[in-house]
Amino acid sequence: MRATAAEGPAGTAATPAPADVLVRIEDVTKRFGSFTAVSGVSLDIRRGEIFGLLGGSGCGKTTLLRMLAGFEEPSAGRILLDGQDMAGVPPYARPIHMMFQSYALFPHMTVERNIGYGLKHERMTEAQRRDRVREMLDLVQLAPFAGRKPHQISGGQRQRVALARALARQPKLLLLDEPLAALDKKLREATQFELMNIQARTGVTFVVVTHDQDEAMTLSDRIAVMDKGRVMQVGSPTEIYEYPTSRFTAGFIGMATFFEGRVQGVDGPSLRIDLPETGTVIEARAAAGLAAGQAVTVALRPEKIAISRDRPAAANAVEGTVQDLGYFGKDSLYRIRLATGKLVLVHAVNARRTGADGRVADWEDRVWLSFDPEAAIVLAE
Amino acid sequence: MRRRSTFLFTVMAFGFAFFYVPILSMIFFSFNASRLATVWGGFSTKWYAALFRNQQVLDALVLSLKIALLSATCATILGTMAGIALARFRRFRGRVLFSGLVTAPLIMPEVITGISTLMFFILLADWVGWPGSRGFTTITLAHITFSMVFVTTVVHARMLQADAAIEEAAMDLGSRPWQVLKDITLPVISPAILSGWLLAFTISLDDVVITSFVTGPGNTTLPLLIWSKVKLGVTPDINALATLIVLTVGAGVLIAGILLQRAERRRERDMQLAYRANQ
Ligand SMILES: Nc1ncnc2c1ncn2[C@@H]1O[C@H](COP(=O)(O)OP(=O)(O)OP(=O)(O)O)[C@@H](O)[C@H]1O
Ligand SMILES: [Mg+2]
């Protein structure tokens, strides 16, 4: 469904033609007093995509959304919607709607009136208005609850009312601040797909804020990873996961073990990197730009490391002892202690049913870890 | 443990007795057939009947009600605006001063408020020739100033509990600030506004001190009338009148309390529902 997987490593995606760009955020900074909440953020949001804003608590996600909605003015920088500068345009005049984290439903109005509230500002007949509300009720499957007040429906239903209300006026851009955070895990997973489905049907561009990486990966066409008010990386979920450009991104999205090292030799895209923490020199691949002698960090994803009893015939292999293991049924997570004392996370599928619960290794077993040169993420920092 | 709770209970019983025995005895003696206020002479409602034939009492009652209605309404409008401003506009020049000025009458001794209001009216009459005489207008104005603070306090508290995001949501959906006020803010805080009005109404209805400073000849409110009558001795008709006032004021405060509590309980129930729905 999503074409992003084919885009390849960071940097190869072509910069979109201006017509594709719905919102251009240019070097936007927001300061509250002496505190900088958003710092020099530049982003292009493309027409019709689901754009994920991912980051830890307090990194400025909500602040960025509020600037898009018009509740806060940037301290510096510009926001362009369809090429038009949004500075000084009040929230009620922007074709941008927001779905609030608390949903912010009007408690004294029925579901129907909540959804229809924005339509009173549209030039349309009463019948058209009613049709539109009905259409929205059907879209979020809430028609039987049209006459209820917000406190008479469940949390998941409230979330859908908030979505329908924000979509009723057909905004150019919909901002969703942690749309699923208030739902329990099961409902959240089901709602994720419903959200994607509704986005595909309406064609409205979504900007979704989340601090849940799985949610961001599932929902988004592209993700911006934020840290301390800055955008660390923008890319498709695959790019962000497989080709992180910073230690922060690599650690924030998915799990990874980090090793400090130094480039020993460069041969085209092939590198030899000395990793004292593994006691070996590994072979890796990286984009050009690294020179011998340069200090680098190597990140290894747990599932990219193979674990075996016998020494494998792989380019990169180290020996270690099982320090810890977590058994999850279909798979296990191991913590392997290398001879140097360094702990490495390894993820293995329990493919067989034999042995101790089908595990490859047990506590205190001696094992070999191996990985392909392509698996090592080399970060120049 | 047991001893202590008995002690606490006794203290509490004395406390309540101290508050309510006088009121209950007053109500009791208002049904006294005897002319002597404190000697029981059998049950009778004749003092109530006499009250409603007494033109002086009826005039005072009408005046009091008119003042209470008008001042409570004005105080509610002003107090609601002040409460909303204090809750929503976090930073404006002179905010601390404004909030201090609005709530000062809560702790100001009534005598001081009464004297200063009177001085103000006298000075004003000197400077601009208005108010020429004191009476209905000056009493109403004085009542507005000191009952407004109660409305402000109630509305402010309600505004702080209300989710500010719903106002932003309305604005986000295309409503200008005044439409947001009309469609969202006022309906949501309406129970608080109503209970504020009831408080202001009852406070105005039973005020003696401030009223006595700013009233003029021929303008006797009900509490003032009672006060002047008591100076000539407590008679059963006064007991009857006071009983009626206690019941009216009591009912007003009770309704205000119930309204606030109902709104509070609804909020709690909503929160629980939301919580359970997320389980
Ligand atoms: N009005 C404000 N005045 C002062 N500081 C603010 C204001 N709004 C936000 N901040 C600060 O800006 C920073 C970013 O806040 P923001 O709400 O954007 O974070 P967030 O990424 O949405 O976090 P979360 O995931 O917890 O919602 C925080 O440190 C916050 O304290
Ligand atoms: Mg936030």
Side-chain angles (χ1 to χ4, degrees), chain B residues 190-212:
Chain B
S190 57
I193 296 177
L194 190 55
S195 68
W197 186 89
L198 280 167
L199 275 180
F201 182 79
T202 51
I203 290 165
S204 164
L205 203 59
D206 74 356
D207 177 72
V208 177
V209 179
I210 292 168
T211 311
S212 65

Side-chain angles (χ1 to χ4, degrees), chain B residues 154-176:
Chain B
V154 173
V155 168
H156 184 212
R158 179 66 188 91
M159 285 296 288
L160 289 185
Q161 285 172 333
D163 185 4
I166 62 172
E167 291 168 16
E168 287 187 340
M171 191 178 283
D172 187 63
L173 290 167
S175 292
R176 277 144 206 280

Side-chain angles (χ1 to χ4, degrees), chain A residues 46-309:
Chain A
R46 298 176 198 163
R47 217 174 287 280
E49 74 177 340
I50 300 188
F51 190 88
L53 272 181
L54 178 62
S57 189
C59 72
K61 307 182 294 289
T62 299
T63 307
L64 191 57
L65 272 205
R66 290 176 61 82
M67 286 192 282
L68 286 170
F71 293 118
E72 311 276 0
E73 283 289 329
S75 312
R78 293 200 304 168
I79 294 173
L80 303 169
L81 179 74
D82 263 338
Q84 188 201 342
D85 194 342
M86 285 281 110
V89 180
Y92 51 79
R94 296 189 182 199
I96 298 175
H97 290 338
M98 181 146 169
M99 196 184 128
F100 289 78
Q101 185 168 356
S102 60
Y103 306 149
L105 299 182
F106 308 131
H108 57 298
M109 294 185 190
T110 59
V111 166
E112 202 166 9
R113 286 191 55 216
N114 261 285
I115 295 175
Y117 184 79
L119 295 177
K120 62 183 216 159
H121 304 293
E122 296 279 307
R123 235 173 263 165
M124 56 196 330
T125 66
E126 198 46 52
Q128 286 172 319
R129 202 163 297 157
R130 228 173 307 122
D131 286 349
R132 181 76 187 144
V133 170
R134 190 106 322 250
E135 196 184 318
M136 284 295 116
L137 281 168
D138 289 340
L139 181 71
V140 295
Q141 296 159 30
L142 280 177
F145 302 94
R148 299 233 192 139
K149 293 277 184 68
H151 63 83
Q152 294 165 322
I153 56 178
S154 76
Q157 289 163 345
R158 264 180 240 167
Q159 190 260 0
R160 295 195 328 250
V161 176
L163 181 64
R165 187 180 67 177
L167 282 171
R169 282 184 82 190
Q170 293 172 303
K172 285 187 180 170
L173 178 65
L174 184 67
L175 311 170
L176 302 98
D177 195 355
E178 312 239 356
L180 309 175
L183 307 179
D184 68 271
K185 197 170 178 322
K186 250 207 200 121
L187 194 55
R188 199 155 61 213
E189 277 160 16
T191 311
Q192 266 174 18
F193 291 104
E194 198 181 294
L195 210 55
M196 288 162 70
N197 192 354
I198 287 175
Q199 193 270 342
R201 280 163 67 188
T202 56
V204 174
T205 309
F206 279 22
V207 174
V208 182
V209 158
T210 171
H211 60 245
D212 182 320
Q213 49 149 315
D214 292 335
E215 195 174 296
M217 303 282 274
T218 319
L219 276 175
S220 317
D221 296 306
R222 290 191 308 143
I223 299 175
V225 181
M226 289 185 68
D227 181 38
K228 299 195 194 93
R230 295 179 180 282
V231 170
M232 303 303 291
Q233 190 172 355
V234 185
S236 69
T238 323
E239 282 167 10
I240 300 256
Y241 186 80
E242 302 292 359
Y243 303 95
T245 53
S246 67
R247 184 165 177 158
F248 175 82
T249 311
F252 191 76
I253 314 265
M255 287 187 280
T257 308
F258 295 95
F259 304 87
E260 306 299 333
R262 196 168 287 283
V263 179
Q264 222 175 42
V266 184
D267 176 17
S270 268
L271 300 173
R272 270 175 304 110
I273 301 172
D274 179 23
L275 295 182
E277 284 164 312
T278 63
T280 57
V281 175
I282 66 152
E283 207 180 296
R285 304 257 186 282
L290 289 169
Q294 196 169 342
V296 291
T297 302
V298 171
L300 281 173
R301 299 274 186 213
E303 77 281 1
K304 301 280 194 295
I305 304 175
I307 187 165
S308 57
R309 297 272 187 176

Side-chain angles (χ1 to χ4, degrees), chain A residues 276-279 318-321 336-343 366:
Chain A
E277 284 164 312
T278 63
V318 273
E319 202 179 12
T321 321
I336 310 294
R337 192 178 59 247
L338 304 184
T340 56
K342 176 80 177 175
L343 292 172
R366 304 281 301 162

